[in-house]
Amino acid sequence: MARRGSRSSKRPYAAGHRPLDMGRLESLPRTQTGPGGAEFTVRRVRGGAKTYICPGCNQTIAAGTPHVVAWSNESLFGPERGLEERRHWHTSCWDRHLW
């Protein structure tokens, strides 16, 4: 059965096209080599309400600070376990391979 009613309100036909926000693309997960040469899923995040300890430098990542979240793709107990064991890194510590 066809839908009736108003059209999608995501972008009205008369509205101009919004430019692509390249900053949002950085947050897409990607695979990189990490500690021990293992493959990790890595995601850049804008920062949240919690503080974390960076495993690279053992210093605090303050709440609201953009950083990297990484988890192993090669966990012995499956990908869900790797995700549960994710770690929050300073972006510079991850990029400089401080593991």
Side-chain angles (χ1 to χ4, degrees):
M1 177 180 245
R3 282 181 34 184
R4 291 188 177 177
S6 66
R7 294 179 185 233
S8 172
S9 62
K10 289 183 181 179
R11 184 174 65 121
Y13 285 105
H17 185 71
R18 287 186 293 177
L20 180 61
D21 179 1
M22 296 304 286
R24 293 188 73 188
L25 290 177
E26 287 183 349
S27 68
L28 293 175
R30 61 196 179 286
T31 300
Q32 292 183 330
T33 301
E39 286 196 356
F40 277 70
T41 297
V42 179
R43 185 172 184 169
R44 295 184 189 271
V45 295
R46 294 181 181 184
K50 293 175 65 177
T51 60
Y52 300 96
I53 301 296
C54 173
C57 66
N58 292 319
Q59 300 296 314
T60 300
I61 302 171
T65 302
H67 61 279
V68 169
V69 179
W71 60 92
S72 175
N73 295 341
E74 302 175 14
S75 175
L76 293 174
F77 302 105
E80 293 82 20
R81 183 65 172 264
L83 182 59
E84 290 173 7
E85 295 174 351
R86 67 189 175 272
R87 296 291 175 257
H88 296 254
W89 295 72
H90 288 111
T91 303
S92 61
C93 291
W94 180 263
D95 290 345
R96 291 177 15 221
H97 301 212
L98 294 182
W99 46 73

